[in-house]
Amino acid sequence: MKKYMLVTVMMIACGLLLAVGGCKTKLPAGDVDINRNFAPEIAVLKDPNISTSSLDKYNAACVIAENVDFSYLRDTASMEAIFNPKDASVGTFEGNDFVLYTFKYMNKSIQFRFSIDGTTIISASVKKSE
C-alpha cells in the first residue's frame, strides 16, 4: 500500500512540474520579437488619433501587459518603441522622475509606471484594476 501511495505522490509531483514548466513566459521588454509579435497592438498604442480612454487602446495595453516583462526594460527609447510619448504623464515623486501610461475603459484601467533617471529606466511596474 505504501508503495502505491509513494508512486501516486511522485506522479502528481511530476505532473505539477510539467504543468508549471509548460506555462507561457513573457518576452523581456526590449526584445526584437516584441515589435514583430505584437505589431498590431503597438500600432494601436502609438496611434495619436486613438484616445487613451478607448477600448482599443485598453485592450492593446492588456495584451502587452500579459506578454511583455517590463522588468528588463533599461532605456526610454525601448519604452517609446511600444508607447506613444504623447500619452505619457511625466512627473516627480519622492525625488524620482517617472513616466506613467494609463489606459482606461469604463471602470477598468491599466497603468504602466516607469521610474527614470535621464534616459535610463530604474524600475517598471504594471497595475491593472477592474
Side-chain angles (χ1 to χ4, degrees):
M1 185 71 161
K2 287 184 180 181
K3 187 177 188 180
Y4 293 113
M5 186 66 98
L6 180 61
V7 170
T8 303
V9 170
M10 293 297 286
M11 288 178 63
I12 291 172
C14 288
L16 289 172
L17 285 173
L18 287 173
V20 170
C23 290
K24 183 176 161 183
T25 59
K26 293 182 174 187
L27 285 173
D31 191 314
V32 293
D33 290 336
I34 291 172
N35 291 330
R36 186 185 70 230
N37 294 352
F38 305 107
E41 290 82 7
I42 292 172
V44 168
L45 291 174
K46 291 188 74 62
D47 190 337
N49 298 319
I50 301 175
S51 169
T52 57
S53 299
S54 70
L55 179 60
D56 290 336
K57 276 207 178 178
Y58 175 79
N59 286 337
C62 287
V63 169
I64 295 295
E66 291 171 8
N67 294 289
V68 177
D69 184 354
F70 287 98
S71 65
Y72 291 95
L73 197 60
R74 294 294 169 244
D75 58 65
T76 56
S78 297
M79 175 184 66
E80 291 172 357
I82 297 172
F83 301 103
N84 183 348
K86 292 181 180 179
D87 291 340
S89 299
V90 181
T92 302
F93 181 70
E94 295 180 351
N96 295 321
D97 293 333
F98 67 85
V99 177
L100 280 176
Y101 292 95
T102 304
F103 304 98
K104 298 177 182 181
Y105 181 71
M106 297 179 76
N107 60 343
K108 303 176 194 177
S109 69
I110 188 161
Q111 184 179 75
F112 300 84
R113 182 183 179 124
F114 303 97
S115 294
I116 61 170
D117 182 15
T119 60
T120 303
I121 295 178
I122 300 167
S123 67
S125 65
V126 179
K127 183 179 178 184
K128 187 175 180 181
S129 64
E130 296 196 34

